[in-house]
Amino acid sequence: MAGRRGIEVRETGQATSGPAGVSISGYHSGDITTVHVHGREPVPWPHQVGVLPRDAAAFQGRDEIDQLRAAVTNSGTAVLCQVLRGTGGVGKTQLAAHYARQAWIGDELDVLVWVSASSRSAIVSAFAQAAEELLALEPGDPERSAHAFLRWVEPKPPGSEPVCRWLVVLDDVADPADVAGLWPAKSPYGRTVVTTRRRDAALPGHRIDLGVFAQDQAVAYLLDFLAEHGRHDDTDEIRALAQDLGYLPLALSQAATYIVDADIPVGCSQCTHRQCPSYRRRLADRATSLASMLPELGMLPDDQDTTVSATWSLSIERADNLNPAGLARPTLQLAAMLDPNGIPQSVLTSEPARTYLAQHRTKAAAEQSTVDEVTEQDVWGALRALHRLSLIDHDPESPQHSVRIHQLIQRATLEAFTSPALDVLARAAADALFDAWPDSEHDTALARSLRDNVNALTQHAEDFLYHSADGVHVVLFCMGQSLGSFGQLTAALEHFQHLIDTAGNRLGPNHPDVLAARNDLALFRGEAGDVVGAATAFAELLLDRERILGPDHPQTLTTRTNLVRWRGRMGDVVGATTAFAELLLDQERILGPDHPNTLTTRTNLAYSQGRAGDAAGAVAAFAELLLDQERVLGPGHPQTLATRLALAWWRGEAGDAAGAAMACAELLLERERVLGPDHPETLATKVNLAVWRGQAGDAAGTVTTLEELLAEYLRLLDPDHPDTLLTRANLAWWRGAAGDAAGAVAAFAELLLDQERILGPDHPETLAAKAKLAVWRGQAGDAASTVTTLEELLADYLRLLGPDHPDTLATRNDLAWWRGEAGDAAVAATAYAELLIDYERIFGPDHPHTLDVRDNLAWWQREASGAQQSTD
């Protein structure tokens, strides 16, 4: 054959030359002499040993093929051995076969050896077959023949023999130990390709990690495969199916075969779910097993010999036998309950997770261990074992998403469980999530990951998180509270409404957990801007808790606290002060003066006093409270430190800005010592310190400090975190106060867009930003635009909060002022006269805000009088 180097054979069986210096009648290589049977001859080149898998239908080219073809690395090092790694079903064998076939067809090889390398004996057998065919060795001693083949592929001195271009493919190496002593030598004319699920360091060569298809590849594969069978389904449904199957090539091929054979539609884009028994709908039904949605063993495509459901079973068994024995399988079970896109390592190393692993350690492997306790190091070892077998991806450098797992591995794992065992597993996963939940969620990425994992858990096994005996699992409350604390208020409201509906149906409407969910729903309704709705909900909840629990129950008292708080937010600040004073008497009688809830009510009462206009009274109340908290809770307790911050704030509000700044500076040192420099409460103290330094006269210094703090928030939290948005609002305001009105306008305009997107148009912080934007537009010279914006804002406040709310009254004050600044002093004076009547009615004649309105009225009356005289 042209272009091929072969063997010239004489009739006597003596060859003039042979591959690798082999004499046909006999040869000597090292210390082994092999004598052939008379008349037996080596096969001529080109020659193939073993059978390549046939090309897959609708084969998709991938970038990894180019990596296999690369002769050298980017650094210029020759690539003589390449290891194609990945979990079962990603198409490693097909990719290697395609590469080998193209090299063979392209006249790049003299010898191709394909080895099904699932065991050491299989490798030895294949190499022995190669020796028997290429070297004409006598059968009977596979080990001897295999090593003869390996010596044959070793490089020889130049010119000593015809050059043989060879490729050895070791397909599906199950254990690196199986290849020990059997690796083909590095040769400038030969290459070795390995496919394996293993990621052990013992596997030599250049590593190529093969993952699932990209979305476009998966869609193209399904379109091509179905088109080959005369099917042209909806592209959107095909794209959705590819996502449902996690873009896993094996699953895609088997699902497509099933769809063609069963002649069912992929999805339901053209009809209702009731009319259309689509594949996607049946696949989404958790009651339908994965195995029943794929072809049976004898009907698999592309000569496949394993169903998707069974693909990973051998890998799990092997992982479970690695140290620490018996822990890989139960660790995989826990991971199967959680988010496939990322599980924090702290969840799987938590005490509840380790308890589950200890109780469900695989029995046969557990007998190898004499220790019942499972340590964090044991869990680490189990994760590494699963990673080595490509059952998970374990990345310790990414603690929030350190474990990733394919969704079909999850499903196949969970389908092996019966209902009672699934209940135990689900509760263990929920306990592990709760144990890993931090008391203070300053790590935005971790909080988001934990919420994603709760979402995944509820999708897998929500039913098991509601127990008649235990109630609603606490992790579901953590989920909703986390959403609300990070400003995702719409999601928080939807979560708690779902919790109320589900728990109410399963546990009854009077169950304490249903009442607790109603409490949280009302709270976040108010935080979302519906202050009236929050107060109404708390009033209804109070009636139910008094009926079910009694008027003196701690939860009933807590509901009274929330009701008073939101009535105060509605505008009845004086009434709230009176109600908190009455509540305090009841709590001191029922709970005692030193109970944390009693101390909390004293905090609310002090705040109410300040908001009612008695800043000096608030200072006195917080100073007295601080002494009791230091005695009861200790000077370093978070609530004690929070009271110190509140005391500093009201000192500033009472007129002592310098004293407030000094108190914040002292508190900052304590918080840095107790909580650390990056804790949210530490950063909040820094913000307060900057604000009071600004109030004391250093506006430029405040801008500089807030710019630095914003950089810290962006580093530690998330651009959309409420604390980040609040810092941006403070910075925008102080830019204006420092003389940059145009900069304040630009900053507030940008902030307002983000707040409307994140918090919604009716959120109090969104409305506050809108008000400040209007004010700074006026300061920048656009009084007419300010009037228009404030008129719109007043309509929003009247709709959301009512006419007597402080924010509504403050907006009327601003609107009246800027109408005057826009040139209509008489209208401003009339507006202030009407506003003064309402302030005196709501706050009293001596409240600081009332006095401010009286001064503004006098100003614009003088301005209007002067304008009239000028006209006359």
Side-chain angles (χ1 to χ4, degrees):
M1 183 177 295
R4 304 295 182 113
R5 294 182 180 271
I7 304 173
E8 190 175 309
V9 183
R10 296 183 181 180
E11 294 182 358
T12 59
Q14 301 290 327
T16 57
S17 65
V22 176
S23 170
I24 298 306
S25 61
Y27 74 92
H28 184 78
S29 178
D31 60 352
I32 299 177
T33 301
T34 302
V35 179
H36 307 296
V37 177
H38 181 71
R40 186 176 177 85
E41 298 177 356
V43 296
W45 304 343
H47 184 67
Q48 177 179 324
V49 179
V51 180
L52 273 69
R54 66 185 176 92
D55 269 334
F59 179 84
Q60 300 296 307
R62 305 171 75 172
D63 292 341
E64 288 78 8
I65 295 177
D66 295 332
Q67 295 184 50
L68 286 175
R69 288 176 178 152
V72 294
T73 64
N74 292 334
S75 62
T77 304
V79 179
L80 304 177
C81 178
Q82 293 175 300
V83 181
L84 195 59
R85 311 185 302 183
T87 191
V90 294
K92 302 181 296 297
T93 296
Q94 280 294 334
L95 208 64
H98 181 82
Y99 161 70
R101 183 173 287 108
Q102 293 303 308
W104 181 256
I105 295 172
D107 195 20
E108 300 172 16
L109 299 174
D110 298 314
V111 170
L112 169 60
V113 181
W114 182 274
V115 182
S116 296
S118 57
S119 67
R120 184 176 182 85
S121 62
I123 300 172
V124 169
S125 177
F127 284 174
Q129 179 185 349
E132 292 162 12
E133 296 178 8
L134 292 166
L135 308 180
L137 298 190
E138 182 179 1
D141 191 340
E143 284 280 350
R144 184 183 182 92
S145 296
H147 284 90
F149 168 72
L150 292 172
R151 282 189 294 274
W152 179 71
V153 298
E154 289 179 359
K156 301 299 184 296
S160 62
E161 60 185 19
V163 173
C164 176
R165 302 164 301 166
W166 56 265
L167 170 65
V168 173
V169 180
L170 298 171
D171 181 44
D172 196 23
V173 171
D175 189 335
D178 292 342
V179 201
L182 296 175
W183 286 104
K186 294 181 179 180
S187 168
Y189 305 111
R191 301 182 71 183
T192 303
V193 171
V194 178
T195 73
T196 182
R197 305 181 192 191
R198 301 291 291 254
R199 291 191 271 204
D200 303 69
L203 289 169
H206 176 64
R207 296 167 178 83
I208 301 174
D209 290 311
L210 185 64
V212 298
F213 278 150
Q215 183 188 60
D216 290 345
Q217 290 173 322
V219 172
Y221 171 81
L222 289 173
L223 288 171
D224 292 348
F225 186 97
L226 294 173
E228 287 180 5
H229 294 83
R231 293 284 299 266
H232 301 281
D233 292 68
D234 182 78
T235 303
D236 290 337
E237 291 292 347
I238 287 177
R239 182 175 293 106
L241 174 60
Q243 183 176 9
D244 293 343
L245 295 171
Y247 309 119
L248 184 71
L250 182 67
L252 295 170
S253 68
Q254 294 187 8
T257 300
Y258 184 93
I259 289 168
V260 170
D261 290 344
D263 193 24
I264 58 175
V266 172
C268 300
S269 61
Q270 304 300 321
C271 56
T272 67
H273 286 320
R274 291 182 181 275
Q275 296 171 334
C276 178
S278 75
Y279 185 87
R280 288 193 59 231
R281 183 168 66 86
R282 293 167 62 185
L283 184 65
D285 184 1
R286 293 287 173 176
T288 303
S289 70
L290 184 61
S292 69
M293 295 297 298
L294 300 171
E296 296 179 0
L297 194 58
M299 304 177 66
L300 299 177
D302 303 326
D303 295 334
Q304 297 167 9
D305 58 4
T306 307
T307 64
V308 167
S309 302
T311 297
W312 306 283
S313 58
L314 180 59
S315 296
I316 295 172
E317 183 179 340
R318 287 183 178 272
D320 217 33
N321 285 320
L322 296 175
N323 287 326
L327 292 184
R329 189 183 298 272
T331 301
L332 187 68
Q333 292 166 356
L334 278 176
M337 271 290 180
L338 301 171
D339 182 21
N341 298 311
I343 305 167
Q345 185 164 293
S346 58
V347 174
L348 297 174
T349 58
S350 66
E351 190 275 333
R354 288 184 281 113
T355 298
Y356 177 85
L357 298 183
Q359 294 172 347
H360 295 83
R361 196 167 197 160
T362 305
K363 184 176 180 182
E367 293 174 354
Q368 304 174 26
S369 174
T370 59
V371 181
D372 292 333
E373 181 184 2
V374 173
T375 66
E376 290 188 17
Q377 190 62 37
D378 291 332
V379 179
W380 175 280
L383 293 174
R384 296 312 298 173
L386 292 168
H387 177 83
R388 285 164 63 187
L389 270 298
S390 297
L391 291 163
I392 66 170
D393 289 318
H394 180 221
D395 180 10
E397 299 301 317
S398 177
Q400 298 90 350
H401 303 89
S402 59
V403 176
R404 299 176 188 270
I405 176 174
H406 194 277
Q407 63 205 54
L408 292 185
I409 296 180
Q410 288 186 309
R411 182 162 181 170
T413 300
L414 295 180
E415 284 184 355
F417 277 76
T418 59
S419 182
L422 196 62
D423 185 359
V424 173
L425 177 61
R427 302 289 289 188
D431 290 344
L433 285 168
F434 176 65
D435 190 81
W437 218 291
D439 293 332
S440 178
E441 291 186 296
H442 61 278
D443 188 334
T444 304
L446 176 60
R448 184 185 297 114
S449 178
L450 289 171
R451 294 196 301 268
D452 289 342
N453 276 272
V454 175
N455 271 331
L457 176 60
T458 55
Q459 290 172 11
H460 289 311
E462 182 180 12
D463 290 348
F464 300 117
L465 302 181
Y466 300 86
H467 273 205
S468 57
D470 301 329
V472 179
H473 198 286
V474 66
V475 79
L476 295 180
F477 284 95
C478 290
M479 169 76 171
Q481 291 159 6
S482 178
L483 286 168
S485 67
F486 278 89
Q488 298 184 36
L489 297 170
T490 301
L493 293 173
E494 292 174 352
H495 175 84
F496 280 114
Q497 187 61 64
H498 174 76
L499 201 60
I500 291 167
D501 295 341
T502 306
N505 290 333
R506 300 181 186 187
L507 307 176
N510 294 333
H511 191 280
D513 287 348
V514 177
L515 301 180
R518 287 174 58 189
N519 179 88
D520 286 348
L521 179 65
L523 171 66
F524 288 116
R525 181 177 293 169
E527 294 291 343
D530 185 6
V531 178
V532 176
T536 301
F538 276 120
E540 295 171 352
L541 179 61
L542 179 60
L543 292 176
D544 289 335
R545 276 187 160 163
E546 286 178 334
R547 172 178 57 83
I548 298 167
L549 304 175
D552 292 346
H553 192 280
Q555 291 183 8
T556 305
L557 297 177
T558 298
T559 306
R560 281 180 62 188
T561 300
N562 287 326
L563 175 58
V564 173
R565 174 171 173 250
W566 287 103
R567 281 180 172 167
R569 291 279 293 271
M570 286 176 62
D572 187 8
V573 182
V574 177
T577 303
T578 302
F580 274 129
E582 295 172 354
L583 176 62
L584 180 60
L585 293 175
D586 287 338
Q587 286 181 318
E588 288 177 332
R589 170 179 59 84
I590 298 166
L591 304 176
D594 293 341
H595 191 279
N597 289 0
T598 305
L599 298 176
T600 298
T601 297
R602 288 177 62 185
T603 299
N604 287 324
L605 177 57
Y607 269 116
S608 250
Q609 286 180 269
R611 292 192 184 104
D614 185 9
V619 170
F622 275 117
E624 183 180 354
L625 174 63
L626 179 61
L627 293 175
D628 289 335
Q629 286 180 323
E630 288 176 334
R631 173 180 56 82
V632 176
L633 304 175
H637 192 278
Q639 291 184 17
T640 305
L641 298 179
T643 297
R644 287 179 61 183
L645 186 63
L647 177 57
W649 176 266
W650 286 107
R651 278 179 179 164
E653 288 292 313
D656 185 9
M662 183 179 298
C664 286
E666 295 172 353
L667 176 60
L668 179 59
L669 294 176
E670 186 70 9
R671 278 194 157 156
E672 287 179 330
R673 182 184 65 82
V674 175
L675 303 175
D678 291 342
H679 193 279
E681 295 300 332
T682 304
L683 297 178
T685 306
K686 288 182 179 180
V687 171
N688 276 266
L689 174 58
V691 167
W692 288 116
R693 282 177 173 167
Q695 293 286 3
D698 186 11
T702 296
V703 170
T704 300
T705 301
L706 289 175
E707 287 174 339
E708 295 171 353
L709 279 170
L710 180 58
E712 289 296 293
Y713 275 115
L714 290 171
R715 175 178 65 86
L716 296 168
L717 300 178
D718 187 277
D720 293 348
H721 191 282
D723 290 350
T724 307
L725 298 178
L726 184 59
T727 303
R728 287 174 60 189
N730 278 311
L731 176 57
W733 176 266
W734 283 101
R735 278 179 176 157
D740 184 9
V745 170
F748 272 120
E750 184 179 351
L751 174 64
L752 182 60
L753 293 175
D754 288 335
Q755 287 180 319
E756 288 176 335
R757 171 179 58 84
I758 299 163
L759 305 176
D762 292 341
H763 190 276
E765 293 297 333
T766 304
L767 298 176
K770 192 173 184 180
K772 292 169 183 175
L773 173 60
V775 168
W776 286 112
R777 277 178 175 160
Q779 294 287 355
D782 189 0
S785 176
T786 296
V787 169
T788 301
T789 301
L790 289 174
E791 287 174 341
E792 296 171 354
L793 187 61
L794 179 59
D796 289 333
Y797 275 128
L798 287 169
R799 171 175 57 86
L800 295 168
L801 304 177
D804 291 345
H805 191 277
D807 290 346
T808 306
L809 298 173
T811 303
R812 288 174 61 190
N813 180 86
D814 288 343
L815 178 57
W817 179 271
W818 285 103
R819 279 174 171 162
E821 290 289 337
D824 200 342
V827 171
T830 300
Y832 272 118
E834 297 172 351
L835 187 59
L836 179 61
I837 295 171
D838 289 332
Y839 265 97
E840 288 178 335
R841 171 177 58 82
I842 296 168
F843 296 104
D846 297 328
H847 191 282
H849 293 338
T850 306
L851 299 178
D852 287 341
V853 171
R854 188 175 288 122
D855 289 343
N856 288 335
L857 171 60
W859 169 271
W860 288 110
Q861 283 176 334
R862 289 193 299 270
E863 290 293 309
S865 176
Q868 182 64 40
Q869 291 174 5
S870 176
T871 302
D872 294 342

